[in-house]
Amino acid sequence: PCRPNPDDLLRAIAAEERAGTSGKRRGRLKVFFGYAAGVGKTYAMLEAAHVAQDHKRDVVVGYIEPHTRPDTLARLEGLEVLPPREMCYKGMPLREFDVDAALERKPDLILVDELAHTNASGSRHAKRYLDVEELLHAGIDVYTTVNVQHLESLNDVVGGITGIRVAETLPDWVFDEADDVELIDLPVDELLARLSAGKVYLPEQAARASQHFFRKGNLIALRELALRRTADRVDDE
């Protein structure tokens, strides 16, 4: 017999929890959505976390990608941060989100950056969105970040636009069934100015990016995709 698709099973469980038929309160998922690195998704997520904390919510930062962006790092101040899980893969040290520590701490709200991330070999789940599903199942609210190029259904379109195949993807149902999606938008010229000022990547990375993924035509097309995908979600609602 055919084995059930794990995504289909997760989707069914999530729908049951949302409907309240499982008897458990499911956590709420909020996605900070953008068209490229550097538009301000993580910064906006941290700002929202401070607001939630000011409203007396128990907030924890579960995992933030170790950005070299001082403005973003500064917004971590005043927030409780869970230590990452230290791992070794092929002799290389790796840092991953510690889902067990998050479940043990069980805050009201947890921040988990980069939802489409592929976890290191040896992790409990292959993908970070599965870690997040476990948190939601435990009744914990989650803030997370996603770029448009990571949505599975747009992978071919993005590859056609940019000439670059994005390896890390996210099933569209995770995005479509999120409780809230906030589009973090930034004019393309402003993003390119941030890139050249070293506010997105280190200088060597920035020079490479501007010749490939971060070409102006690519960014304009990706921004339009993100705007359209957000509008489609609103239409569905």
Side-chain angles (χ1 to χ4, degrees), residues 149-167:
Q149 64 264 32
H150 296 293
L151 294 180
E152 223 165 55
S153 68
L154 297 175
N155 198 241
D156 290 341
V157 177
V158 171
I161 292 167
T162 64
I164 297 165
R165 190 80 178 179
V166 176

Side-chain angles (χ1 to χ4, degrees), residues 1-231:
C2 291
R3 292 180 63 189
N5 182 311
D7 273 340
D8 290 342
L9 288 176
L10 272 174
R11 202 170 179 173
I13 292 166
E16 188 178 278
E17 286 174 351
R18 265 193 304 277
T21 52
S22 67
K24 291 179 70 174
R25 183 233 175 227
R26 177 178 167 84
R28 292 178 61 81
L29 177 64
K30 177 168 184 173
V31 174
F32 293 82
F33 186 53
Y35 68 88
V39 297
K41 299 179 304 299
T42 303
Y43 187 90
M45 178 171 70
L46 288 165
E47 286 279 281
H50 279 283
V51 171
Q53 190 167 260
D54 290 345
H55 284 83
K56 309 301 181 195
R57 294 201 67 194
D58 179 19
V59 181
V60 167
V61 176
Y63 190 85
I64 296 290
E65 281 298 321
H67 298 291
T68 53
R69 300 167 198 160
D71 292 349
T72 302
L73 292 173
R75 294 311 287 145
L76 282 168
E77 287 180 22
L79 295 170
E80 181 185 341
V81 181
L82 280 185
R85 192 161 57 95
E86 305 282 349
M87 299 179 68
C88 190
Y89 180 66
K90 294 185 177 177
M92 295 285 291
L94 293 174
R95 293 152 52 93
E96 291 284 3
F97 169 55
D98 192 338
V99 66
D100 288 311
L103 289 166
E104 188 176 331
R105 173 63 180 76
K106 202 170 183 187
D108 292 339
L109 169 65
I110 191 164
L111 278 60
V112 185
D113 215 5
E114 300 202 353
L115 189 60
H117 172 76
T118 300
N119 291 333
S121 179
S123 302
R124 176 152 80 249
H125 300 302
K127 300 284 291 186
R128 188 168 287 164
Y129 79 85
L130 297 171
D131 293 335
V132 165
E133 274 298 315
E134 194 168 345
L135 297 174
L136 296 169
H137 185 66
I140 301 168
D141 292 348
V142 179
Y143 285 175
T144 191
T145 61
V146 174
N147 276 330
V148 69
Q149 64 264 32
H150 296 293
L151 294 180
E152 223 165 55
S153 68
L154 297 175
N155 198 241
D156 290 341
V157 177
V158 171
I161 292 167
T162 64
I164 297 165
R165 190 80 178 179
V166 176
E168 294 193 320
T169 59
L170 178 76
D172 282 54
W173 69 264
V174 180
F175 176 82
D176 290 332
E177 297 184 11
D179 298 279
D180 190 14
V181 171
E182 183 175 337
L183 178 68
I184 308 301
D185 190 35
L186 187 71
V188 168
D189 286 338
E190 284 186 37
L191 177 57
L192 289 170
R194 284 176 56 79
L195 183 73
S196 61
K199 293 181 177 179
V200 179
Y201 296 125
L202 294 171
E204 192 180 318
Q205 286 176 291
R208 268 201 314 272
S210 63
Q211 292 165 18
H212 299 286
F213 198 85
F214 274 70
R215 289 200 298 267
K216 187 169 182 177
N218 287 352
L219 295 176
I220 290 168
L222 290 170
R223 187 182 184 208
E224 286 177 2
L225 266 184
L227 291 165
R228 194 179 313 143
R229 192 66 181 77
T230 308

